[in-house]
């Protein structure tokens, strides 16, 4: 007696064998969502989305949306840097953006992304921290940069870094004066060119992320959450406006050949320039 054959609907097959389901698409040079392997998702950038912040922006890459707000507060300078303010970036991944995240302390992914972005900002020296000094040894500005993911569908690194840089470009701070231990800021109900200042950013690093899939080391640009789940690793390449490398962040144990890395860098140059054009259109 012949053994009955089992057949599955595409959605059932995808749930049971996600990697094999995906592989059948990548061998044809496409993905299940219709994108080519090197294609990035539609991206939008909006500035000034939080009226109560000193600077803000919202970035949407595909189904991932990040809102970033910058708040400037007066603080005492560090003992080893009396004439420098400081930048405090943070990325939040809450249950609000995806059911994969749980309430409580920051997840490992959120901490890893925050640390990686902080490293890129420091190594790129995006801002001369001396510009944040109010009175040497007495008072400086500290910029709290909070990037909150409100919808998660993969590639949080690119979205968070772009939102942070767009928000920093949008910052406006009232001009302060220091008199006898007291900080005073310029008056008026609205920050204007006359009573406030903007940040002078030395560099604007933006990134492009690639996932490494399968033993064939297939490279996928801008992975969504499903592609992240089945990938063997990810590489995020940050570049400034001149194409200079600002940092490489690697997640996972998958290796990448030298030729594949060169291809990723070239693709990252095109992608980050595209991001800059989108940011400048707003």
């Amino acid at each position: 007696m012949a053994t009955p054959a089992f057949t599955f609907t595409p959605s059932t097959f995808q749930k049971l064998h996600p990697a094999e389901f995906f592989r059948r698409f990548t061998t044809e040079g496409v993905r299940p969502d219709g994108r080519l392997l090197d294609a990035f998702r539609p991206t939008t950038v909006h500035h000034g989305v939080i009226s109560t912040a000193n600077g803000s922006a919202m970035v949407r890459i595909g189904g991932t949306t990040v809102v970033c707000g910058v708040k400037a507060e007066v603080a005492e300078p560090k003992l080893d840097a009396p004439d420098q303010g400081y930048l405090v970036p943070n990325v939040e991944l809450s249950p609000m953006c995806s059911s994969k995240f749980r309430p409580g302390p920051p997840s490992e992914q959120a901490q890893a992304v925050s640390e990686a972005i902080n490293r890129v900002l420091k190594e790129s020296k995006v801002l001369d921290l001396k510009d944040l000094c109010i009175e040497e040894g007495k008072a400086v500005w500290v910029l709290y940069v909070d990037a909150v993911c409100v919808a998660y569908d993969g590639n949080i690194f690119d979205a968070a870094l772009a939102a942070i840089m767009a928000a920093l470009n949008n910052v406006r701070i009232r001009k302060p004066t220091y008199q006898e231990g007291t900080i005073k800021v310029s008056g008026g109900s609205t920050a204007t060119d006359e009573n406030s200042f903007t940040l002078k950013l030395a560099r604007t690093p933006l990134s492009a992320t690639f996932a490494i899939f399968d033993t064939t080391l297939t490279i996928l640009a801008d992975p969504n959450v499903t592609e992240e789940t089945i990938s063997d690793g990810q590489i995020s390449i940050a570049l400034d406006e001149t194409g200079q490398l600002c940092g490489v962040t690697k997640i996972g144990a998958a290796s990448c050949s030298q030729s594949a890395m060169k291809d990723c860098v070239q693709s990252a140059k095109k992608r980050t320039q595209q991001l800059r054009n989108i940011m400048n259109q707003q």
Side-chain angles (χ1 to χ4, degrees):
M1 182 177 180
T3 303
F6 291 96
T7 58
F8 300 109
T9 63
S11 60
T12 301
F13 182 66
Q14 182 180 13
K15 291 179 181 178
L16 293 176
H17 306 285
E20 180 58 31
F21 176 84
F22 197 81
R23 189 177 294 113
R24 296 193 179 188
F25 283 87
T26 58
T27 54
E28 300 299 325
V30 296
R31 314 189 212 186
D33 64 4
R35 280 191 293 159
L36 298 178
L37 304 185
D38 60 353
F40 292 83
R41 292 171 292 179
T43 302
T44 58
V45 179
H46 298 281
H47 298 92
V49 295
I50 305 175
S51 60
T52 55
N54 292 96
S56 61
M58 179 177 70
V59 171
R60 179 179 288 114
I61 299 179
T64 294
T65 302
V66 174
V67 176
C68 180
V70 181
K71 194 67 176 176
E73 295 185 5
V74 177
E76 292 184 0
K78 298 177 181 178
L79 293 176
D80 58 346
D83 61 344
Q84 296 181 18
Y86 36 102
L87 203 60
V88 184
N90 179 63
V91 177
E92 180 180 331
L93 298 172
S94 70
M96 177 178 67
C97 70
S98 173
S99 59
K100 68 178 290 187
F101 303 114
R102 297 288 180 263
S107 64
E108 289 185 10
Q109 183 178 1
Q111 293 181 59
V113 173
S114 294
E115 291 172 2
I117 288 180
N118 188 35
R119 188 165 56 249
V120 168
L121 296 179
K122 283 186 175 180
E123 293 178 356
S124 302
K125 298 180 180 179
V126 299
L127 178 65
D128 186 350
L129 298 180
K130 291 183 179 181
D131 290 344
L132 300 179
C133 181
I134 300 173
E135 183 71 15
E136 185 173 344
K138 301 294 184 179
V140 297
W141 288 111
V142 52
L143 301 182
Y144 293 101
V145 187
D146 294 309
V148 180
C149 182
V150 296
Y152 185 86
D153 188 23
N155 196 5
I156 184 63
F157 189 93
D158 290 3
L161 181 58
I164 287 172
M165 295 312 304
L168 289 174
N169 270 300
N170 182 246
V171 165
R172 186 173 287 278
I173 304 173
R174 297 290 182 87
K175 293 178 180 178
T177 56
Y178 183 87
Q179 295 178 346
E180 299 178 356
T182 302
I183 303 294
K184 295 182 180 180
V185 297
S186 301
S189 59
T190 304
T192 64
D193 291 339
E194 292 74 24
N195 66 12
S196 63
F197 67 95
T198 58
L199 300 179
K200 298 176 182 178
L201 301 182
R203 303 171 79 186
T204 305
L206 296 173
S207 61
T209 295
F210 306 87
I212 304 171
F213 173 71
D214 211 357
T215 55
T216 58
L217 300 182
T218 301
I219 304 296
L220 308 171
D222 182 21
N224 61 30
V225 65
T226 301
E227 294 165 351
E228 286 182 346
T229 302
I230 62 175
S231 71
D232 299 305
Q234 297 169 53
I235 296 174
S236 297
I237 301 171
L239 303 164
D240 69 7
E241 51 271 41
T242 65
Q244 293 271 329
L245 187 66
C246 296
V248 176
T249 300
K250 184 173 179 292
I251 299 175
S255 60
C256 183
S257 66
Q258 187 174 2
S259 61
M261 178 59 78
K262 288 182 179 180
D263 291 341
C264 288
V265 170
Q266 291 303 314
S267 179
K269 288 182 178 180
K270 295 178 182 179
R271 168 58 174 174
T272 53
Q273 184 56 54
Q274 179 192 51
L275 275 175
R276 289 179 215 287
N277 292 339
I278 293 173
M279 290 173 65
N280 292 334
Q281 289 172 0
Q282 301 299 317

